[in-house]
């Protein structure tokens, strides 16, 4: 089951400007009940996307009926920096659990350029961030 975006091109410049997804009939996105106060899609889901909130052993998102085959872990920049710093061992265990899934992904919510900057909430050097990402 693949979800392919349909891209409409802006006739003036020929660049994509809107995405529409065709979800297969019966497709249900599972959001982990521990996902926190800002789960993707929960408040404004795309049309025809069915959602449920349920407990997932691994990851933040999955597909109903494929919870043991598909896992997606979402990290915002501050969360990812924490995982690469003080919580590195826990994060490595999480990645190890994800290896048993047929399809797995870590989605970083934010711009890559933001990841490699100094932040008040993190003591990590930008070069350390790069090295940790490469090492895992």
């Amino acid at each position: 089951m693949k979800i392919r975006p349909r891209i409409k091109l802006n006739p003036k410049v020929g660049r994509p400007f809107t995405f529409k997804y065709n979800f297969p009939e019966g497709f249900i996105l599972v959001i982990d009940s521990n996902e926190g106060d800002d789960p993707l899609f929960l408040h404004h889901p795309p049309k025809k996307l069915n959602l449920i909130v349920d407990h997932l052993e691994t990851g933040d998102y999955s597909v109903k009926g494929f919870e043991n085959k598909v896992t997606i872990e979402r990290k915002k920049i501050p969360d990812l920096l924490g995982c690469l710093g003080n919580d590195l061992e826990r994060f490595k265990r999480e990645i190890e659990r994800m290896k048993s899934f047929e399809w797995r992904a870590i989605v970083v919510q934010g711009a890559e350029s933001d990841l490699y900057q100094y932040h008040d909430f993190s003591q990590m050097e930008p070069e350390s961030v790069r090295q940790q990402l490469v090492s895992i």
Side-chain angles (χ1 to χ4, degrees):
M1 167 176 24
K2 290 188 177 186
I3 301 172
R4 297 179 186 245
R6 289 185 308 176
I7 302 172
K8 289 187 175 181
L9 296 179
N10 183 332
K12 293 182 181 176
V13 294
R15 294 189 183 134
F17 69 96
T18 183
F19 291 91
K20 293 185 179 181
Y21 293 90
N22 290 324
F23 295 101
E25 181 143 344
F27 181 90
I28 300 172
L29 181 68
V30 182
I31 301 172
D32 184 38
S33 55
N34 294 321
E35 175 56 352
D37 62 348
D38 187 25
L40 292 175
F41 307 123
L42 192 59
H43 303 293
H44 302 288
K47 290 180 181 178
K48 299 184 181 180
L49 176 60
N50 298 307
L51 304 171
I52 61 170
V53 177
D54 201 357
H55 174 70
L56 294 172
E57 293 293 327
T58 302
D60 297 320
Y61 301 89
S62 190
V63 177
K64 183 73 175 165
F66 296 90
E67 292 92 342
N68 61 344
K69 295 181 182 206
V70 175
T71 187
I72 300 168
E73 179 67 31
R74 177 179 78 143
K75 298 287 183 200
K76 293 182 180 178
I77 300 284
D79 188 24
L80 181 61
L81 292 175
C83 287
L84 296 175
N86 294 335
D87 293 335
L88 183 59
E89 292 308 313
R90 181 191 59 79
F91 189 48
K92 284 183 178 180
R93 288 191 303 271
E94 191 172 1
I95 291 171
E96 196 60 37
R97 282 193 315 272
M98 291 177 74
K99 287 181 180 179
S100 67
F101 288 78
E102 290 179 34
W103 196 93
R104 58 203 174 265
I106 297 173
V107 175
V108 178
Q109 187 176 349
E112 185 179 10
S113 59
D114 291 341
L115 191 58
Y116 303 122
Q117 294 180 6
Y118 291 98
H119 295 280
D120 293 336
F121 54 80
S122 175
Q123 296 178 359
M124 288 194 74
E125 299 280 336
E127 188 56 35
S128 297
V129 172
R130 278 189 186 85
Q131 291 173 1
Q132 290 291 37
L133 287 172
V134 169
S135 74
I136 57 172

